[in-house]
Amino acid sequence: MTVELFCQVHALVVSILNSMARNPETVSLMLAFSLLFFVNQFDENRGHIQPPPLPAPLFGDESPVVDFYLGDLQATLEFIKLSRTEEWMVMYYAHWDTASLDAAKEFDLLAKEFEEVVTFVAVNCWWPYGSCKSRVKPPMYPIFVGHVLGREGVQFTGIQKLPEMRKFLKKLRNPFTYVQREEDVLALRAEDDTIAIAYFNFTSTLTPPGLASFHQAALSSLEKDPIHPTPFGVVTKLDLARDLGLNHSQSLVLLRNFNYTVTFPPTERFKAANILSFVYGEAREQRVVWISPAGVKSTILSQQIMKGPALLLFTTDEEDRGYQNNYYMLREVAMKYYQCEEMEEPLKDIIKFIKEKRSPHSPEDCIQSTVPKPCCQSLATVVPAETVRVRGNVCQICEQSSVSYSFNLDYCAVTAGKSCHSLWPLFGETVFGVPNNCRHLNNFYSPFSHCELCCTRDNLVNRHSNVCDQTLKWRTSRPVDHDCVYCSNESHGQGDKTKHLCETLYDRESAKVLESFRGLSCIADVSVNFFAVRMEYFSVLAERLGVEKTVLNERSDVAIIIDEEYEEFYLHPLDEDVTVLSLQKFLLNFTNGELRRNLTSGGSPARRKDTGCVSSSSSSTGCIVEVITDTFHEIVLDDSKNVVLLYYTPWCGACKRIAHIYLALAQLFESSENIVIARINGDQNDLPWEFVPLAYPTVILFPLKHKENSVIYPKEQPFTLPHLVQFVVQHSS
C-alpha cells in the first residue's frame, strides 16, 4: 500500500515537472500566488490606514472666536445654545485652505469689534472625522453664516473683507428701519430706487402678526444682494401708512422712484419666501447697480454691459463717510438723467435730500453759528473762454470781525457796495496773479473789522468749489446745483435768532449743462445704465479698460462709459475731479457723439520706434518695427514711407508659424529707404475702426503718399517669402 502510494505521488510530481518544463509561465504564476498567500497570512498590519495628523486650531486662545477645529458640529450647537447673545456668526473652514486662512484674519478682527453682543464660532468642516463634514457638506471654503435667534441662518455671500463683513453684521442685527416721518421715507428712497415698506399695528402687541415673516425676508435679502440689498422699512404711524398706500396692518408695498407703487397681492400668504419673491421680482427697479465680480471666473460685468451703454464709476465705499461716498453722487446724476417731465416732482424731493446730505451748508439748512465768523466771498482770475482749461488763481475776500453781532443783509450781499468784496480793486489787480498770497486792508465802513484777500492756485474748470468768475459781475439768478455760494446774515429782531441766508451764483456753462442734462434719457436714442464698482477691490477691471495703474493708485474715482454694441469705451478726463457737473458733461458729450474713443496703447517701451526693433536673435540683421497705438499715425501713416504692417496677437498660433517668414522679409528690405516692415499687437492696442483687421494674422501695405489705397495680402495666397516679396514690390510706390 505504501509502495503504491509512493509510486502515485512520484508519477504526479514527474507529470507536474514535465508540464512546468513545457510551460515555464505556469511556474511564475504559482510562485506569485504562493507569495501573495503567505503575505496575506502573516502580515499583521493587514488593512491598516495611517490616519492624518490632527489639525491645528485656526484661532488662538486670545481670539474671541471659539474654534472647533476637530469639526464637532454637535459641540458647536451646544455651545451656541449656552451663549447669552441673540446673534451669532459661524465660519465653516478647511484648515489647509488659503482662502480660509486669509478670511480668518478678517473674521478675528470682526469678532474683536462685536464680541460683547455677538457670538463668533469657527468649525473645521473639512476634517473627515468630524460630524460637520458629513452634515453640512460645504461646496467651497470658507463659508460664513449669520444667525438671529428664532430665524433661519443667512449666508454672507459678499467680499470676505472686514468692512464688508461689518456691514453685513450690522444689517443682520438691524435688517429693517422703523419709519416714523416722511424724512425717513426719503432717506430710504435715497438709498435705492425700490424700497419695501410695510405697516404693522403695534397698539396691542410688540409682535403683531406678519412681523416675524417680514423680519425673516429682510434677513434673507442680505443673502440675495450682499452689496446693496433692497431697503426694508416698517411704518409705525397709521396716518403716514395711509399716505403710502398701507391701509391695514400686515400690508406691504414697493415704493419705486421711477414708477408707480406696487402692492403685495392680498391673495398671497404673508410668508417670508413670498415677501422675498415679491421684493426681488420683476417689479424691482434699480437705476444704479453695484457690481461685484466673484473671486472666480465671472460673467457678471459682461451680462450688465450687454444691456446697452454703461457708465461705470470705480469708487470707494466707506461706511463712516455716509452720504459723502460718491455712490450718492452717481445716484444724483442718474436721477437727473432719468428725470422726465412725468417724474420731475417725485424725484425732486429725493434729489434735494441727497444734495442736502452731501452739502450740509446748502440754502435749506444753512444755520448761523453764534461764534463770530468772517463774511467771505470767493473770486477768480479772469480766464478767457479759449483758455478755460488753464490753471488760474482763486481768491477769497473775507471780513475778519472782532465782535459778534448781526450785520445788515446788504453788508455781505454781492450786489451792495458796502462790503469787502467791493474793495478788491484797492488791493491792486496784480495780486490776483500771485498765488499763495494774502493782503490786508482796513474796512472803511466799520471800525471793528478789516478786510483780507488770500489767493491760491487752483483749477477753475475741474474743481468743484465755491468759485465764480468775476466776469459775471456777480449776477444772481435761480439757484443751481453747485458753484459760487455766498452767505449773508439777516437780523430778524428776535434776540439771538439769526437766519443764515445762502444764495447760489452760477456760470453760463453750468446752467447750460443743467438745463440740457435733466431728463436726457427721455430724448436720447439709447439710454445709459449706471453701475458702481468698488475701486479698492476691482481696480484691475479699470486697468484692463486702459486706465494706468499709477493713475488708479492716485485717484479714488474713475468714470468710464462702455458701449458694447460698437465695442467702444470712453474715459472721463483724468485731469478732472469726478463731480456731479463733470459726470453730466461726460454723459452729454457721449449722447451728442462728441467724445473721443479711448484707445488702449500697449507694448513694451523697449519696442517703441525710437528705442529699437524686434528680431529673432542678436545675430539677425532684419528689423521689424513694433507699432503701438500712440505711434500708429507717426509710423504707419508716414507719407514718405511704404509701410507693411502685420497684425498679430500673442494667442494666435498662425501668427507664430509665420513669424520667421515675416522676419526674413524684413531682412530682405533692410537696406530699402522707403519701405518699413512693421507689426502691431492687436490684443494690446486699440485702433480706429478703419484700421482694424477682421482676423489675425493680417498683412496690410500702406503705400507711400497714398495711404487711402492700402492693400490687404490675399488670404488665398500662400504665405511664403517669394509671394510676400512680390506683394510688396507690386503695391509699393
Side-chain angles (χ1 to χ4, degrees):
M1 197 74 178
T2 306
V3 175
E4 292 179 359
L5 179 62
F6 175 78
C7 291
Q8 291 175 359
V9 171
H10 180 266
L12 178 62
V13 170
V14 172
S15 176
I16 292 173
L17 291 174
N18 290 334
S19 176
M20 292 173 61
R22 291 191 300 268
N23 302 291
E25 66 275 5
T26 306
V27 179
S28 302
L29 288 173
M30 291 180 64
L31 290 174
F33 281 120
S34 300
L35 181 61
L36 288 174
F37 175 77
F38 282 107
V39 169
N40 187 54
Q41 289 295 320
F42 296 103
D43 184 11
E44 297 180 356
N45 295 323
R46 177 166 51 95
H48 180 74
I49 300 175
Q50 185 69 26
L54 293 176
L58 208 59
F59 298 89
D61 295 336
E62 71 284 354
S63 173
V65 180
V66 180
D67 191 354
F68 293 87
Y69 60 94
L70 295 180
D72 191 342
L73 190 60
Q74 187 60 38
T76 304
L77 297 176
E78 291 176 0
F79 174 80
I80 291 174
K81 287 180 182 179
L82 296 175
S83 65
R84 298 180 180 180
T85 62
E86 294 186 355
E87 297 94 15
W88 59 94
M89 199 163 176
V90 183
M91 175 185 179
Y92 299 97
Y93 70 89
H95 62 279
W96 49 264
D97 177 54
T98 302
S100 296
L101 296 174
D102 293 339
K105 300 174 184 177
E106 308 292 325
F107 194 57
D108 185 62
L109 294 173
L110 181 71
K112 289 176 180 177
E113 288 187 26
F114 292 89
E115 60 179 317
E116 299 295 331
V117 290
V118 178
T119 299
F120 292 87
V121 176
V123 188
N124 186 347
C125 222
W126 179 87
W127 182 243
Y129 300 101
S131 57
C132 182
K133 185 176 179 65
S134 59
R135 292 177 61 181
V136 178
K137 299 179 180 178
M140 59 185 297
Y141 300 100
I143 288 179
F144 295 91
V145 181
H147 297 266
V148 176
L149 186 64
R151 302 286 183 263
E152 298 177 7
V154 179
Q155 182 179 343
F156 171 63
T157 56
I159 303 167
Q160 294 175 354
K161 296 292 184 181
L162 177 61
E164 315 312 312
M165 299 169 80
R166 184 191 294 122
K167 289 180 185 178
F168 171 80
L169 191 54
K170 287 184 176 181
K171 280 285 187 181
L172 186 78
R173 303 190 67 217
N174 298 286
F176 60 78
T177 303
Y178 284 104
V179 178
Q180 299 178 337
R181 303 169 299 167
E182 290 184 3
E183 185 178 350
D184 298 334
V185 179
L186 278 176
L188 290 177
R189 300 187 81 159
E191 291 283 337
D192 201 288
D193 296 319
T194 302
I195 62 174
I197 296 287
Y199 169 67
F200 300 96
N201 188 353
F202 291 91
T203 304
S204 56
T205 177
L206 295 177
T207 57
L211 182 61
S213 297
F214 188 78
H215 185 265
Q216 180 63 60
L219 287 172
S220 300
S221 71
L222 304 179
E223 189 174 315
K224 277 273 191 182
D225 188 348
I227 299 181
H228 195 75
T230 296
F232 281 66
V234 173
V235 180
T236 57
K237 293 185 177 181
L238 182 58
D239 53 347
L240 179 58
R242 287 174 176 169
D243 291 340
L244 298 174
L246 301 166
N247 298 317
H248 57 84
S249 184
Q250 198 172 298
S251 55
L252 168 66
V253 296
L254 284 182
L255 296 182
R256 302 186 296 178
N257 293 343
F258 296 91
N259 217 321
Y260 57 86
T261 298
V262 181
T263 304
F264 183 79
T267 55
E268 290 277 353
R269 297 184 62 191
F270 203 81
K271 298 297 182 182
N274 294 337
I275 296 172
L276 196 64
S277 298
F278 170 69
V279 173
Y280 282 87
E282 295 180 357
R284 188 187 187 210
E285 294 180 341
Q286 283 186 298
R287 289 294 187 265
V288 179
V289 179
W290 276 106
I291 292 182
S292 176
V296 294
K297 289 184 177 180
S298 172
T299 59
I300 293 177
L301 181 58
S302 61
Q303 289 174 0
Q304 296 292 350
I305 64 177
M306 288 284 286
K307 297 176 182 178
L311 170 63
L312 272 65
L313 177 66
F314 290 84
T315 184
T316 58
D317 187 49
E318 302 172 20
E319 186 180 12
D320 56 350
R321 293 189 64 201
Y323 286 96
Q324 300 310 311
N325 285 305
N326 280 344
Y327 163 75
Y328 293 97
M329 173 187 69
L330 187 62
R331 282 191 54 73
E332 180 182 340
V333 172
M335 287 186 182
K336 292 176 180 177
Y337 181 78
Y338 286 101
Q339 192 178 6
C340 304
E341 290 184 7
E342 64 274 13
M343 299 304 301
E344 185 162 356
E345 286 304 318
L347 293 177
K348 187 176 180 181
D349 291 338
I350 305 173
I351 294 173
K352 180 181 177 182
F353 179 87
I354 295 175
K355 284 166 55 63
E356 289 179 3
K357 292 297 182 181
R358 286 182 58 79
S359 304
H361 301 297
S362 60
E364 289 75 14
D365 61 350
C366 197
I367 307 300
Q368 182 187 9
S369 170
T370 56
V371 180
K373 292 184 178 180
C375 177
C376 297
Q377 177 71 53
S378 294
L379 305 173
T381 51
V382 179
V383 180
E386 60 271 14
T387 60
V388 73
R389 293 192 176 276
V390 302
R391 289 181 175 270
N393 259 356
V394 173
C395 301
Q396 190 176 54
I397 294 180
C398 295
E399 180 186 3
Q400 303 289 346
S401 177
S402 59
V403 296
S404 176
Y405 64 93
S406 297
F407 299 104
N408 293 330
L409 176 62
D410 64 347
Y411 195 87
C412 291
V414 292
T415 54
K418 297 182 178 181
S419 60
C420 284
H421 90 274
S422 63
L423 304 177
W424 75 263
L426 299 178
F427 286 99
E429 295 187 16
T430 56
V431 74
F432 284 90
V434 183
N436 305 320
N437 177 60
C438 286
R439 298 291 179 86
H440 299 270
L441 188 68
N442 291 331
N443 191 340
F444 297 158
Y445 304 100
S446 172
F448 304 104
S449 64
H450 70 276
C451 296
E452 180 183 69
L453 173 69
C454 291
C455 297
T456 184
R457 183 74 70 187
D458 204 350
N459 190 320
L460 302 182
V461 175
N462 302 335
R463 292 288 179 184
H464 182 74
S465 56
N466 298 337
V467 176
C468 280
D469 193 322
Q470 62 180 354
T471 56
L472 293 174
K473 298 181 180 179
W474 312 112
R475 287 192 303 112
T476 305
S477 186
R478 65 182 183 86
V480 292
D481 297 352
H482 67 295
D483 291 341
C484 321
V485 175
Y486 74 90
C487 296
S488 55
N489 305 315
E490 179 182 13
S491 175
H492 293 274
Q494 299 178 1
D496 297 334
K497 292 185 178 181
T498 305
K499 186 178 181 182
H500 199 72
L501 300 178
C502 297
E503 295 185 34
T504 308
L505 300 176
Y506 71 100
D507 57 80
R508 292 186 179 93
E509 182 187 13
S510 303
K512 182 179 179 182
V513 170
L514 179 70
E515 293 177 3
S516 303
F517 183 79
R518 183 176 284 117
L520 184 60
S521 68
C522 313
I523 59 175
D525 294 336
V526 180
S527 295
V528 175
N529 301 309
F530 293 78
F531 300 97
V533 185
R534 295 292 292 275
M535 173 74 86
E536 60 267 48
Y537 303 133
F538 306 113
S539 60
V540 65
L541 296 178
E543 190 176 348
R544 290 173 183 171
L545 291 172
V547 184
E548 294 184 5
K549 193 171 184 178
T550 53
V551 174
L552 294 173
N553 293 335
E554 296 172 356
R555 296 180 63 92
S556 59
D557 302 281
V558 172
I560 300 173
I561 292 178
I562 301 177
D563 192 346
E564 189 275 338
E565 182 180 358
Y566 296 99
E567 298 184 12
E568 297 177 341
F569 71 94
Y570 307 91
L571 189 60
H572 181 283
L574 294 176
D575 59 345
E576 296 184 17
D577 290 338
V578 180
T579 65
V580 172
L581 180 63
S582 72
L583 284 178
Q584 290 175 345
K585 292 178 182 177
F586 190 40
L587 287 163
L588 267 174
N589 291 336
F590 170 76
T591 303
N592 296 331
E594 298 174 359
L595 288 181
R596 182 181 177 184
R597 177 186 172 215
N598 192 76
L599 300 176
T600 302
S601 183
S604 171
R607 295 183 175 182
R608 294 177 184 266
K609 180 190 175 186
D610 55 353
T611 56
C613 57
V614 182
S615 63
S616 62
S617 68
S618 58
S619 61
S620 299
T621 57
C623 177
I624 301 176
V625 177
E626 189 76 18
V627 178
I628 61 175
T629 303
D630 293 341
T631 61
F632 183 86
H633 283 76
E634 177 189 354
I635 299 173
V636 178
L637 301 185
D638 182 358
D639 274 342
S640 65
K641 304 289 184 182
N642 293 289
V643 180
V644 184
L645 183 65
L646 168 66
Y647 294 84
Y648 76 98
T649 65
W651 46 261
C652 169
C655 301
K656 296 177 181 177
R657 286 197 298 271
I658 68 170
H660 67 286
I661 301 175
Y662 198 69
L663 178 60
L665 179 71
Q667 292 172 350
L668 285 176
F669 287 97
E670 181 185 16
S671 59
S672 175
E673 295 182 357
N674 65 350
I675 295 179
V676 175
I677 308 299
R679 72 175 189 174
I680 185 169
N681 184 341
D683 205 33
Q684 295 184 356
N685 295 276
D686 293 330
L687 294 173
W689 292 120
E690 60 269 26
F691 299 114
V692 176
L694 297 177
Y696 299 103
T698 293
V699 174
I700 301 179
L701 189 147
F702 295 85
L704 178 152
K705 295 183 180 179
H706 298 284
K707 300 298 181 181
E708 69 279 3
N709 296 329
S710 59
V711 184
I712 301 177
Y713 185 83
K715 290 184 178 180
E716 63 276 6
Q717 189 103 335
F719 202 92
T720 62
L721 184 58
H723 287 99
L724 273 174
V725 173
Q726 181 183 0
F727 171 75
V728 174
V729 173
Q730 179 182 351
H731 298 287
S732 295
S733 300

